[in-house]
Amino acid sequence: MSQKHIVVVGTSFAGYTAALKLREGLGAEHKITVIDRQDKFVFIPSLIWYPFGIRKAKQISFAVSPVYKKKNIDFMLDEVLSFDLDNRTVITETGKVPYDYLVVATGPKVDFAAIPGLKPGETSNSICTIEHAEDAKDSWEKFLQNPGPVVVGAAQEAACFGAAYEFVFNVRYQLKKNKLLKKAPIHFVTSEPFLGHFGIGGFGKGAEMCTMMFKRMGITGHYNTDIKEVTKDSVTLGDGTKIDSKYTMIIPRFRGVDAVVNSKGLANPKGFIPTTDEYQHVDYPEVYAAGIAVAVAAPFETQFGCAVPKTGYPSEVMAEVAAHNIIADITGEGERHQKEFADIDAKCIMDAGNMGMVILGDKMLGKRKKEKIIPGPWAHWGKLAFEAYFMYTRRRGKV
Protein backbone atom coordinates (compact mmCIF):
# COMPACT_ATOMS: atom_id res chain seq x y z
CA MET A 1 0.00 0.00 0.00
CA SER A 2 1.49 3.31 -1.07
CA GLN A 3 1.76 6.16 1.41
CA LYS A 4 -1.17 8.55 1.46
CA HIS A 5 -1.05 12.14 2.63
CA ILE A 6 -4.12 13.45 4.46
CA VAL A 7 -4.31 17.20 5.11
CA VAL A 8 -6.64 18.57 7.77
CA VAL A 9 -7.28 22.32 7.69
CA GLY A 10 -8.42 23.63 11.06
CA THR A 11 -7.83 22.45 14.60
CA SER A 12 -10.96 23.20 16.58
CA PHE A 13 -13.58 20.57 17.45
CA ALA A 14 -13.88 19.07 13.97
CA GLY A 15 -10.25 19.36 12.84
CA TYR A 16 -8.73 18.15 16.11
CA THR A 17 -11.08 15.16 16.23
CA ALA A 18 -10.51 14.27 12.58
CA ALA A 19 -6.71 14.39 12.87
CA LEU A 20 -6.56 12.21 15.99
CA LYS A 21 -9.13 9.71 14.68
CA LEU A 22 -7.20 9.43 11.42
CA ARG A 23 -4.01 8.67 13.29
CA GLU A 24 -5.78 6.06 15.43
CA GLY A 25 -7.03 4.25 12.35
CA LEU A 26 -4.05 4.56 10.03
CA GLY A 27 -0.62 3.05 10.27
CA ALA A 28 2.48 5.13 10.74
CA GLU A 29 3.31 4.79 7.04
CA HIS A 30 0.60 7.30 6.16
CA LYS A 31 1.25 11.02 6.60
CA ILE A 32 -1.17 13.38 8.34
CA THR A 33 -0.68 17.15 8.28
CA VAL A 34 -2.77 19.71 10.16
CA ILE A 35 -2.69 23.35 9.03
CA ASP A 36 -3.99 26.23 11.13
CA ARG A 37 -3.08 29.86 11.66
CA GLN A 38 -2.92 29.38 15.42
CA ASP A 39 -1.41 26.71 17.65
CA LYS A 40 -4.35 26.64 20.01
CA PHE A 41 -7.50 24.73 20.83
CA VAL A 42 -10.15 26.75 22.66
CA PHE A 43 -13.12 25.23 24.46
CA ILE A 44 -15.58 27.73 23.01
CA PRO A 45 -18.56 26.75 25.23
CA SER A 46 -16.72 28.27 28.22
CA LEU A 47 -16.45 31.69 26.58
CA ILE A 48 -19.88 32.53 28.04
CA TRP A 49 -18.08 32.92 31.39
CA TYR A 50 -14.91 34.63 30.19
CA PRO A 51 -16.14 38.26 30.18
CA PHE A 52 -17.08 37.98 33.85
CA GLY A 53 -13.60 36.90 34.92
CA ILE A 54 -14.78 33.36 35.76
CA ARG A 55 -12.34 31.77 33.31
CA LYS A 56 -8.81 32.54 32.16
CA ALA A 57 -7.33 31.62 28.79
CA LYS A 58 -5.05 28.92 30.20
CA GLN A 59 -8.04 27.13 31.77
CA ILE A 60 -9.94 26.69 28.52
CA SER A 61 -7.22 26.45 25.87
CA PHE A 62 -4.04 24.53 25.13
CA ALA A 63 -1.35 24.28 22.45
CA VAL A 64 -2.08 21.54 19.91
CA SER A 65 1.40 21.14 18.40
CA PRO A 66 2.84 19.11 21.34
CA VAL A 67 -0.11 16.72 21.13
CA TYR A 68 0.28 16.32 17.38
CA LYS A 69 4.00 15.72 17.75
CA LYS A 70 3.39 12.85 20.17
CA LYS A 71 0.87 11.37 17.75
CA ASN A 72 3.24 11.61 14.76
CA ILE A 73 1.06 14.24 13.09
CA ASP A 74 2.75 17.14 11.33
CA PHE A 75 1.51 20.60 12.29
CA MET A 76 1.92 23.68 10.11
CA LEU A 77 1.37 27.10 11.64
CA ASP A 78 0.25 28.83 8.48
CA GLU A 79 -2.60 30.75 6.83
CA VAL A 80 -4.53 28.86 4.17
CA LEU A 81 -5.40 31.11 1.23
CA SER A 82 -7.31 28.73 -1.06
CA PHE A 83 -7.72 25.17 -2.27
CA ASP A 84 -6.83 23.95 -5.76
CA LEU A 85 -9.20 21.00 -5.96
CA ASP A 86 -8.28 19.88 -9.47
CA ASN A 87 -4.61 19.59 -8.53
CA ARG A 88 -5.25 18.40 -4.95
CA THR A 89 -3.26 21.22 -3.40
CA VAL A 90 -3.72 23.53 -0.42
CA ILE A 91 -2.37 27.03 -1.09
CA THR A 92 -0.92 28.72 2.00
CA GLU A 93 0.95 31.94 2.69
CA THR A 94 4.25 30.06 2.64
CA GLY A 95 3.69 27.65 -0.23
CA LYS A 96 1.71 24.70 -1.58
CA VAL A 97 0.78 21.50 0.25
CA PRO A 98 -0.28 18.53 -1.90
CA TYR A 99 -2.76 15.98 -0.56
CA ASP A 100 -4.36 12.66 -1.39
CA TYR A 101 -7.26 13.35 0.96
CA LEU A 102 -8.40 16.65 2.41
CA VAL A 103 -10.54 17.43 5.46
CA VAL A 104 -11.83 21.01 5.56
CA ALA A 105 -12.62 21.95 9.16
CA THR A 106 -12.00 25.67 9.00
CA GLY A 107 -14.90 26.85 11.15
CA PRO A 108 -16.70 30.08 10.21
CA LYS A 109 -16.04 33.63 9.24
CA VAL A 110 -17.89 35.72 11.82
CA ASP A 111 -19.71 38.24 9.62
CA PHE A 112 -19.86 41.42 11.71
CA ALA A 113 -20.00 43.50 8.52
CA ALA A 114 -23.52 42.24 7.77
CA ILE A 115 -24.96 44.68 10.34
CA PRO A 116 -24.04 48.38 10.17
CA GLY A 117 -22.03 49.47 13.19
CA LEU A 118 -21.51 45.99 14.64
CA LYS A 119 -17.87 46.17 15.75
CA PRO A 120 -16.69 43.94 18.61
CA GLY A 121 -14.61 45.82 21.13
CA GLU A 122 -16.00 49.16 19.91
CA THR A 123 -19.77 49.43 19.52
CA SER A 124 -20.56 45.88 20.69
CA ASN A 125 -19.09 42.70 22.12
CA SER A 126 -18.71 39.09 21.03
CA ILE A 127 -17.88 35.72 22.58
CA CYS A 128 -17.19 33.91 19.29
CA THR A 129 -13.42 33.78 19.91
CA ILE A 130 -11.20 34.09 22.94
CA GLU A 131 -9.85 37.38 21.58
CA HIS A 132 -13.39 38.75 21.30
CA ALA A 133 -14.19 37.49 24.79
CA GLU A 134 -11.13 39.32 26.15
CA ASP A 135 -12.47 42.57 24.70
CA ALA A 136 -15.90 41.74 26.12
CA LYS A 137 -14.29 41.33 29.54
CA ASP A 138 -12.70 44.78 29.34
CA SER A 139 -16.06 46.24 28.33
CA TRP A 140 -17.83 44.47 31.20
CA GLU A 141 -15.41 45.85 33.77
CA LYS A 142 -16.07 49.37 32.47
CA PHE A 143 -19.80 48.70 32.43
CA LEU A 144 -19.80 47.78 36.13
CA GLN A 145 -18.46 51.25 36.89
CA ASN A 146 -21.20 52.92 34.82
CA PRO A 147 -24.12 50.48 34.46
CA GLY A 148 -27.20 50.86 32.33
CA PRO A 149 -29.37 48.86 29.88
CA VAL A 150 -27.98 45.63 28.43
CA VAL A 151 -28.78 44.10 25.03
CA VAL A 152 -27.86 40.50 24.22
CA GLY A 153 -28.89 38.91 20.97
CA ALA A 154 -28.55 36.62 17.98
CA ALA A 155 -28.81 38.50 14.70
CA GLN A 156 -30.65 37.53 11.54
CA GLU A 157 -29.23 34.34 9.99
CA ALA A 158 -27.31 33.57 13.19
CA ALA A 159 -26.65 29.93 14.04
CA CYS A 160 -25.37 29.98 17.63
CA PHE A 161 -28.54 30.77 19.56
CA GLY A 162 -27.62 28.65 22.57
CA ALA A 163 -24.63 30.83 23.40
CA ALA A 164 -26.81 33.95 23.28
CA TYR A 165 -29.27 32.43 25.75
CA GLU A 166 -26.50 31.26 28.06
CA PHE A 167 -24.88 34.67 27.96
CA VAL A 168 -28.06 36.61 28.74
CA PHE A 169 -28.82 34.32 31.69
CA ASN A 170 -25.26 34.73 32.96
CA VAL A 171 -25.49 38.51 32.56
CA ARG A 172 -28.60 38.47 34.69
CA TYR A 173 -26.86 36.31 37.30
CA GLN A 174 -23.85 38.66 37.42
CA LEU A 175 -26.05 41.76 37.66
CA LYS A 176 -27.87 40.23 40.60
CA LYS A 177 -24.56 39.38 42.31
CA ASN A 178 -23.43 42.99 41.85
CA LYS A 179 -26.83 44.36 42.99
CA LEU A 180 -27.33 46.15 39.68
CA LEU A 181 -30.62 44.67 38.45
CA LYS A 182 -32.55 47.93 39.00
CA LYS A 183 -29.94 49.94 37.14
CA ALA A 184 -29.52 47.56 34.21
CA PRO A 185 -32.70 46.39 32.42
CA ILE A 186 -31.96 43.43 30.14
CA HIS A 187 -33.19 43.01 26.56
CA PHE A 188 -32.81 39.88 24.44
CA VAL A 189 -33.05 40.23 20.65
CA THR A 190 -33.33 37.22 18.34
CA SER A 191 -34.33 36.36 14.79
CA GLU A 192 -36.02 33.18 16.07
CA PRO A 193 -39.77 33.11 15.39
CA PHE A 194 -40.28 32.33 19.07
CA LEU A 195 -38.14 32.07 22.19
CA GLY A 196 -36.66 28.59 22.48
CA HIS A 197 -36.57 27.88 18.74
CA PHE A 198 -32.76 27.48 19.06
CA GLY A 199 -32.28 27.25 15.29
CA ILE A 200 -33.61 23.67 15.33
CA GLY A 201 -37.33 24.37 15.09
CA GLY A 202 -37.93 24.20 18.83
CA PHE A 203 -37.39 21.43 21.33
CA GLY A 204 -39.96 19.94 23.67
CA LYS A 205 -41.08 22.46 26.25
CA GLY A 206 -38.10 24.71 25.51
CA ALA A 207 -40.24 27.64 24.33
CA GLU A 208 -42.42 27.44 27.43
CA MET A 209 -39.40 27.22 29.74
CA CYS A 210 -37.52 30.10 28.08
CA THR A 211 -40.61 32.31 28.20
CA MET A 212 -41.10 31.47 31.88
CA MET A 213 -37.45 32.14 32.72
CA PHE A 214 -37.48 35.48 30.89
CA LYS A 215 -40.58 36.54 32.80
CA ARG A 216 -39.21 35.41 36.15
CA MET A 217 -35.84 37.07 35.56
CA GLY A 218 -37.29 40.31 34.17
CA ILE A 219 -35.68 39.91 30.72
CA THR A 220 -37.52 41.62 27.87
CA GLY A 221 -37.57 39.39 24.80
CA HIS A 222 -37.70 40.75 21.24
CA TYR A 223 -38.15 37.78 18.90
CA ASN A 224 -38.92 37.32 15.19
CA THR A 225 -36.98 40.47 14.43
CA ASP A 226 -33.83 41.65 12.73
CA ILE A 227 -31.18 44.15 13.76
CA LYS A 228 -30.88 47.25 11.59
CA GLU A 229 -27.97 49.04 13.27
CA VAL A 230 -25.74 48.97 16.33
CA THR A 231 -24.13 52.02 17.90
CA LYS A 232 -22.08 52.49 21.02
CA ASP A 233 -25.18 53.24 23.09
CA SER A 234 -28.09 51.61 21.25
CA VAL A 235 -29.43 48.77 19.12
CA THR A 236 -32.03 49.57 16.43
CA LEU A 237 -34.31 46.80 15.22
CA GLY A 238 -35.67 46.40 11.72
CA ASP A 239 -39.07 47.79 12.69
CA GLY A 240 -37.44 50.98 13.98
CA THR A 241 -37.51 50.09 17.67
CA LYS A 242 -34.48 51.65 19.35
CA ILE A 243 -33.14 50.03 22.52
CA ASP A 244 -30.69 51.96 24.67
CA SER A 245 -27.66 49.90 25.69
CA LYS A 246 -24.58 50.41 27.81
CA TYR A 247 -23.40 46.84 27.12
CA THR A 248 -24.21 44.97 23.90
CA MET A 249 -23.31 41.41 22.92
CA ILE A 250 -24.58 40.17 19.55
CA ILE A 251 -23.95 36.80 17.90
CA PRO A 252 -23.78 37.63 14.15
CA ARG A 253 -24.34 35.34 11.22
CA PHE A 254 -21.59 32.98 10.07
CA ARG A 255 -20.23 32.59 6.56
CA GLY A 256 -17.54 30.42 5.04
CA VAL A 257 -13.95 31.56 5.56
CA ASP A 258 -12.21 33.41 2.75
CA ALA A 259 -10.02 30.45 1.81
CA VAL A 260 -13.12 28.34 1.13
CA VAL A 261 -15.01 31.12 -0.65
CA ASN A 262 -11.97 31.81 -2.85
CA SER A 263 -11.76 28.20 -4.06
CA LYS A 264 -13.57 27.28 -7.27
CA GLY A 265 -16.06 24.45 -6.91
CA LEU A 266 -15.63 23.98 -3.17
CA ALA A 267 -18.58 25.77 -1.56
CA ASN A 268 -22.07 27.18 -2.03
CA PRO A 269 -22.70 30.97 -2.31
CA LYS A 270 -22.62 31.35 1.49
CA GLY A 271 -19.23 29.68 1.69
CA PHE A 272 -20.37 26.34 3.15
CA ILE A 273 -19.36 23.01 1.67
CA PRO A 274 -22.00 20.66 0.20
CA THR A 275 -21.39 17.07 1.29
CA THR A 276 -23.04 13.67 1.30
CA ASP A 277 -24.12 12.05 4.56
CA GLU A 278 -20.59 10.58 4.61
CA TYR A 279 -19.26 14.18 4.81
CA GLN A 280 -17.63 13.70 1.44
CA HIS A 281 -17.76 16.55 -1.07
CA VAL A 282 -20.50 16.04 -3.65
CA ASP A 283 -18.13 16.60 -6.59
CA TYR A 284 -14.64 15.82 -5.26
CA PRO A 285 -14.55 12.37 -3.58
CA GLU A 286 -11.11 12.93 -1.99
CA VAL A 287 -12.40 16.05 -0.19
CA TYR A 288 -14.27 15.81 3.11
CA ALA A 289 -15.61 18.48 5.43
CA ALA A 290 -16.73 18.62 9.05
CA GLY A 291 -18.05 21.16 11.53
CA ILE A 292 -19.34 24.62 10.70
CA ALA A 293 -17.76 24.42 7.23
CA VAL A 294 -20.44 21.89 6.17
CA ALA A 295 -23.57 23.15 4.40
CA VAL A 296 -26.67 22.11 6.34
CA ALA A 297 -30.05 23.27 5.05
CA ALA A 298 -32.61 24.26 7.66
CA PRO A 299 -35.81 22.16 7.35
CA PHE A 300 -37.94 25.18 8.16
CA GLU A 301 -38.43 28.76 7.02
CA THR A 302 -38.36 31.84 9.23
CA GLN A 303 -39.00 35.47 8.42
CA PHE A 304 -35.54 36.74 9.33
CA GLY A 305 -33.40 33.65 8.97
CA CYS A 306 -32.30 31.08 11.51
CA ALA A 307 -29.34 28.91 10.57
CA VAL A 308 -28.84 25.43 11.99
CA PRO A 309 -26.34 25.31 14.91
CA LYS A 310 -23.29 23.18 14.09
CA THR A 311 -21.81 23.21 17.58
CA GLY A 312 -19.00 21.22 19.19
CA TYR A 313 -20.71 17.86 19.60
CA PRO A 314 -22.17 17.51 16.09
CA SER A 315 -18.88 18.84 14.70
CA GLU A 316 -17.04 15.98 16.39
CA VAL A 317 -19.59 13.46 15.09
CA MET A 318 -19.14 14.74 11.53
CA ALA A 319 -15.37 14.59 11.92
CA GLU A 320 -15.48 10.99 13.19
CA VAL A 321 -17.62 9.92 10.23
CA ALA A 322 -15.32 11.67 7.75
CA ALA A 323 -12.18 10.18 9.34
CA HIS A 324 -13.69 6.69 9.39
CA ASN A 325 -14.53 6.87 5.70
CA ILE A 326 -11.08 8.10 4.71
CA ILE A 327 -9.56 5.23 6.70
CA ALA A 328 -11.92 2.78 4.97
CA ASP A 329 -10.90 4.19 1.57
CA ILE A 330 -7.20 3.86 2.30
CA THR A 331 -7.17 0.48 4.05
CA GLY A 332 -10.00 -1.14 2.14
CA GLU A 333 -11.30 -2.46 5.46
CA GLY A 334 -14.67 -1.95 7.08
CA GLU A 335 -17.89 -0.44 5.80
CA ARG A 336 -18.27 3.25 5.20
CA HIS A 337 -20.36 5.21 7.69
CA GLN A 338 -23.22 7.61 7.06
CA LYS A 339 -24.83 10.04 9.48
CA GLU A 340 -27.27 12.63 8.21
CA PHE A 341 -26.87 15.81 10.23
CA ALA A 342 -30.54 15.79 11.19
CA ASP A 343 -30.11 12.33 12.75
CA ILE A 344 -27.23 13.28 15.04
CA ASP A 345 -28.56 13.05 18.58
CA ALA A 346 -29.08 16.33 20.41
CA LYS A 347 -26.95 16.86 23.50
CA CYS A 348 -26.64 20.29 25.11
CA ILE A 349 -26.18 21.86 28.52
CA MET A 350 -27.50 25.42 28.72
CA ASP A 351 -25.93 27.25 31.65
CA ALA A 352 -27.71 30.07 33.48
CA GLY A 353 -25.22 31.19 36.12
CA ASN A 354 -26.04 28.87 39.00
CA MET A 355 -28.63 26.69 37.24
CA GLY A 356 -29.59 25.76 33.68
CA MET A 357 -31.11 23.08 31.45
CA VAL A 358 -29.89 19.73 30.17
CA ILE A 359 -31.29 19.13 26.67
CA LEU A 360 -31.37 15.58 25.26
CA GLY A 361 -32.98 14.26 22.09
CA ASP A 362 -32.64 11.40 19.63
CA LYS A 363 -32.46 13.76 16.62
CA MET A 364 -31.02 17.19 15.94
CA LEU A 365 -33.68 18.19 13.40
CA GLY A 366 -37.14 17.02 12.47
CA LYS A 367 -39.69 15.00 14.41
CA ARG A 368 -38.20 13.30 17.44
CA LYS A 369 -39.28 10.17 19.27
CA LYS A 370 -37.44 11.23 22.40
CA GLU A 371 -36.76 14.70 23.71
CA LYS A 372 -36.21 15.83 27.26
CA ILE A 373 -35.30 19.07 29.03
CA ILE A 374 -34.13 18.77 32.62
CA PRO A 375 -33.89 22.15 34.39
CA GLY A 376 -32.14 22.82 37.68
CA PRO A 377 -28.84 23.60 39.38
CA TRP A 378 -27.41 20.22 38.34
CA ALA A 379 -27.26 21.53 34.77
CA HIS A 380 -24.72 24.15 35.89
CA TRP A 381 -22.73 21.55 37.80
CA GLY A 382 -22.97 19.22 34.80
CA LYS A 383 -21.47 21.82 32.49
CA LEU A 384 -18.62 22.41 34.92
CA ALA A 385 -17.98 18.66 35.14
CA PHE A 386 -18.08 18.22 31.38
CA GLU A 387 -15.71 21.14 30.86
CA ALA A 388 -13.20 19.51 33.23
CA TYR A 389 -13.58 16.11 31.55
CA PHE A 390 -13.29 17.54 28.05
CA MET A 391 -10.20 19.60 28.76
CA TYR A 392 -8.50 16.71 30.61
CA THR A 393 -9.02 14.26 27.74
CA ARG A 394 -8.29 16.62 24.86
CA ARG A 395 -5.10 17.94 26.39
CA ARG A 396 -3.93 14.33 26.34
CA GLY A 397 -4.96 13.71 22.75
CA LYS A 398 -8.01 11.57 23.50
CA VAL A 399 -11.23 12.16 21.59
Side-chain angles (χ1 to χ4, degrees), residues 117 121-124 230-235 244-248:
E122 296 182 30
T123 56
S124 64
V230 176
T231 68
K232 196 171 183 180
D233 55 11
S234 69
V235 175
D244 293 336
S245 182
K246 282 289 187 71
Y247 189 92
T248 301

Side-chain angles (χ1 to χ4, degrees), residues 36-102:
D36 201 291
R37 62 182 178 182
Q38 61 178 6
D39 178 12
K40 183 167 59 178
F41 182 99
V42 177
F43 188 60
I44 295 172
S46 292
L47 293 181
I48 59 164
W49 296 317
Y50 197 97
F52 311 117
I54 300 172
R55 289 293 181 275
K56 296 181 179 179
K58 65 181 180 181
Q59 294 175 290
I60 59 172
S61 65
F62 61 90
V64 295
S65 54
V67 179
Y68 288 142
K69 185 176 181 179
K70 289 180 181 179
K71 299 287 184 177
N72 190 28
I73 297 171
D74 294 337
F75 177 69
M76 289 180 58
L77 189 65
D78 205 346
E79 179 84 24
V80 173
L81 303 179
S82 64
F83 301 88
D84 182 347
L85 303 184
D86 293 327
N87 292 300
R88 299 190 183 188
T89 304
V90 179
I91 313 299
T92 75
E93 283 189 341
T94 62
K96 298 181 179 180
V97 184
Y99 62 81
D100 295 296
Y101 290 90
L102 172 68

